[in-house]
Amino acid sequence: MALPSTLYTFRIDLADQDRGHYDQLKLKLPCHPSETVERLVVRALAWCLFDSPDLKAGPDLSDHSESPLYEQDASGEIRHRIELGEPDPQRIKRASNRGTAVTVITYTPSAATWWKKQENAMRAFAGVEVLAMPADAVSALAAELPRQVHWQVMVSERTLFVSDETGDSTEIQVTGLQERR
């Protein structure tokens, strides 16, 4: 019998100064047994970076056919996919070929090695942006993450300043490895 996902509830006071966007997010994000808490944290941070009324969470992690986050227009067409980790370039190519904008957010200690191996393939795809979050900062947020999370997140010049209810704060500098063209 498969283990159930663990549900985390995020209350996030978001101030995105880059976009002039302010929101109070209430996210219920399941953490699949095969998912790391770091990946869960990056899903929440990605939500902060791309928050919009059209942003949705993808299906369970066990369904690899869909992105963890995506934006869908009123007609049901997916216009932006957000992939996490170190996805296979063929997955990104399929999304890019459908005319969908794709953002890849990498966050693992091996991200630099992954990027060195995949950079040429990724640069060949139109509409693909690749971002990197430092693994140590993501790990710091993931360490002892409670199931009920309350963060204040300010985004300024693609840096996320994350504070929790205990007053601890973490700065996450998001680096652009490839801009969307």
Side-chain angles (χ1 to χ4, degrees), residues 114-135:
W114 171 82
W115 180 242
K116 189 176 249 186
K117 288 170 61 177
Q118 305 303 342
E119 181 177 6
N120 289 337
M122 297 296 243
R123 290 202 185 279
F125 309 140
V128 176
E129 170 184 45
V130 181
L131 305 174
M133 291 184 181

Side-chain angles (χ1 to χ4, degrees), residues 2-178:
L3 294 173
S5 294
T6 302
L7 188 63
Y8 286 78
T9 302
F10 288 81
R11 278 188 15 234
I12 301 173
D13 299 320
L14 176 64
D16 186 337
Q17 295 179 340
D18 292 345
R19 298 186 297 150
H21 177 79
Y22 305 90
D23 203 351
Q24 290 185 321
L25 306 174
K26 291 180 178 86
L27 307 174
K28 292 183 185 262
L29 299 176
C31 186
H32 190 270
S34 66
E35 181 178 26
T36 65
V37 177
E38 287 81 4
R39 187 176 189 280
L40 174 75
V41 164
V42 172
R43 270 198 290 152
L45 294 173
W47 201 296
C48 293
L49 284 173
F50 297 101
D51 182 47
S52 80
D54 299 329
L55 189 63
K56 298 181 177 17
D60 192 280
L61 186 66
S62 61
D63 180 357
H64 296 288
S65 65
E66 290 300 328
S67 302
L69 298 173
Y70 61 93
E71 286 183 277
Q72 190 172 33
D73 64 22
S75 70
E77 287 292 315
I78 294 177
R79 65 175 188 252
H80 183 198
R81 294 180 184 275
I82 301 166
E83 298 287 341
L84 307 177
E86 300 172 1
D88 181 72
Q90 290 306 311
R91 178 181 177 89
I92 304 306
K93 180 180 180 179
R94 281 192 298 276
S96 175
N97 285 345
R98 288 184 249 158
T100 303
V102 180
T103 300
V104 175
I105 302 175
T106 186
Y107 59 91
T108 64
S110 61
T113 303
W114 171 82
W115 180 242
K116 189 176 249 186
K117 288 170 61 177
Q118 305 303 342
E119 181 177 6
N120 289 337
M122 297 296 243
R123 290 202 185 279
F125 309 140
V128 176
E129 170 184 45
V130 181
L131 305 174
M133 291 184 181
D136 57 341
V138 170
S139 293
L141 282 174
E144 300 179 31
L145 187 73
R147 300 228 347 241
Q148 303 286 323
V149 180
H150 185 202
W151 284 345
Q152 293 81 39
V153 177
M154 182 180 74
V155 182
S156 179
E157 297 180 5
R158 249 199 193 151
T159 299
L160 293 99
F161 300 91
V162 182
S163 300
D164 66 19
E165 53 199 356
T166 67
D168 289 340
S169 61
T170 304
E171 182 177 322
I172 299 181
Q173 176 69 49
V174 179
T175 305
L177 300 177
Q178 174 176 311

